[in-house]
Amino acid sequence: MKFKYGMLMPLLALFGVAVGFPLCYAAYLSVTDYKLTDREPPGFVGAANFTNALSNTAFWEAFGTTAIYVLIAVSVELVLGFSLALALHQQRWAKDLSRAIVLAPMFITPIAVGLIFRFLLNDQIGAIPALLHTIGADYDFFGAGRALLTLAFIDVWQWTPFMVLLILAGLESMPKQPLEAARVDGAGPIYRLRRVMIPMLAPVLTVAVLLRGLDALRVFEYVYATTRGGPGTETQTLQYYMYLEGIQFFRLAQASAMAFVVLVLVLAVIVVAFRTMERSREGSSAR
């Protein structure tokens, strides 16, 4: 028993240093009036920063922008990821090569991806706008009403492989007897997909959407590398807005309070999602 807990101590110590200390320090800052430019010790303000965050219109606008971004990106990634996973699952030749090609974007650093698309889609020097111009089509990818969709497209390009990886793992671990029984009974491909395959993959799909949604909620690199929140505040996401508050405007206390508000909202979503999964699992086992 002592040996088992002794083996855990290095991991717990690393967790405390890497996660625990920053989290506790951010909690301390969130109840003070600390600024990076202040030389005086910070004063205690209690819940004032949280009240300001909850009543901050710009914060909730950034929240809405992030929610739209997550909804678009994760929905497209789910559909594309499911389609690609089905195709890869049924592939009979060059499986390893095709899977390596599909999964490759996932291993590129997000800031590098943002910079790549910043130059590819630039309306003055970008290769893609230049190609569109040769066929008489002019499209400003980072213009008003389009920039957020472009950022979602960048996310789709990089993180659809993550969906493919999870769904493909679910497909290959799925029992084949129900599908074969449905095929023997004369069920068509669409019926087998809707009534057999998707219900069996429901836990995998739920986890995939939850993981990608939580990760997409943290989007910062694409915004920083391409639009810097523009045009106007159209692509000002939560993480970028908190970066502006804490680093650009030196208001670390307010940024910390906003971060904890987001943390509470995310934890609430996680709890609801897992309770829903548990209820559906209990319902299916009861049937």
Side-chain angles (χ1 to χ4, degrees), residues 43-210:
F44 179 78
V45 296
N49 290 329
F50 294 94
T51 304
N52 293 335
L54 293 172
S55 60
N56 188 335
T57 305
F59 172 76
W60 290 111
E61 286 179 358
F63 184 86
T65 299
T66 307
I68 294 171
Y69 170 88
V70 171
L71 181 63
I72 295 172
V74 176
S75 299
V76 176
E77 287 164 11
L78 177 63
V79 175
L80 284 179
F82 190 80
S83 303
L84 287 172
L86 279 176
L88 291 173
H89 181 61
Q90 296 173 0
Q91 188 178 3
R92 293 293 176 263
W93 53 274
K95 295 172 67 173
D96 295 338
L97 177 62
S98 58
R99 293 182 186 192
I101 293 172
V102 169
L103 297 178
M106 189 173 62
F107 301 104
I108 306 175
T109 306
I111 190 68
V113 172
L115 290 172
I116 290 169
F117 279 98
R118 174 184 175 181
F119 292 107
L120 275 178
L121 303 177
N122 186 278
D123 61 340
Q124 295 179 347
I125 62 172
I128 295 177
L131 289 174
L132 292 176
H133 184 70
T134 59
I135 60 173
D138 291 323
Y139 188 87
D140 184 4
F141 287 93
F142 297 114
R146 302 170 179 176
L148 192 64
L149 289 175
T150 300
L151 292 181
F153 161 76
I154 296 172
D155 193 284
V156 167
W157 182 87
Q158 181 168 28
W159 293 112
T160 295
F162 180 77
M163 285 284 194
V164 173
L165 189 64
L166 291 182
I167 297 172
L168 186 59
L171 285 171
E172 296 194 342
S173 63
M174 190 171 59
K176 294 181 174 54
Q177 290 84 355
L179 288 171
E180 292 174 356
R183 189 180 296 110
V184 169
D185 290 339
I190 302 299
Y191 184 90
R192 293 199 302 270
L193 178 67
R194 290 179 53 205
R195 299 295 184 180
V196 181
M197 191 175 294
I198 291 180
M200 292 174 66
L201 286 175
V204 175
L205 297 176
T206 303
V207 171
V209 169
L210 186 61

Side-chain angles (χ1 to χ4, degrees), residues 213-234:
L214 294 176
D215 188 56
L217 194 66
R218 303 184 301 108
V219 59
F220 172 80
E221 295 91 343
Y222 304 147
V223 182
Y224 184 81
T226 56
T227 63
R228 299 294 176 97
T233 58
E234 187 174 312

Side-chain angles (χ1 to χ4, degrees), residues 211-254:
L211 290 177
R212 270 305 303 136
L214 294 176
D215 188 56
L217 194 66
R218 303 184 301 108
V219 59
F220 172 80
E221 295 91 343
Y222 304 147
V223 182
Y224 184 81
T226 56
T227 63
R228 299 294 176 97
T233 58
E234 187 174 312
T235 59
Q236 191 165 274
T237 58
L238 276 173
Q239 294 292 327
Y240 190 77
Y241 180 70
M242 287 188 285
Y243 159 78
L244 291 178
E245 283 287 308
I247 305 300
Q248 294 282 65
F249 304 140
F250 308 115
R251 296 191 284 261
L252 274 178
Q254 288 90 330

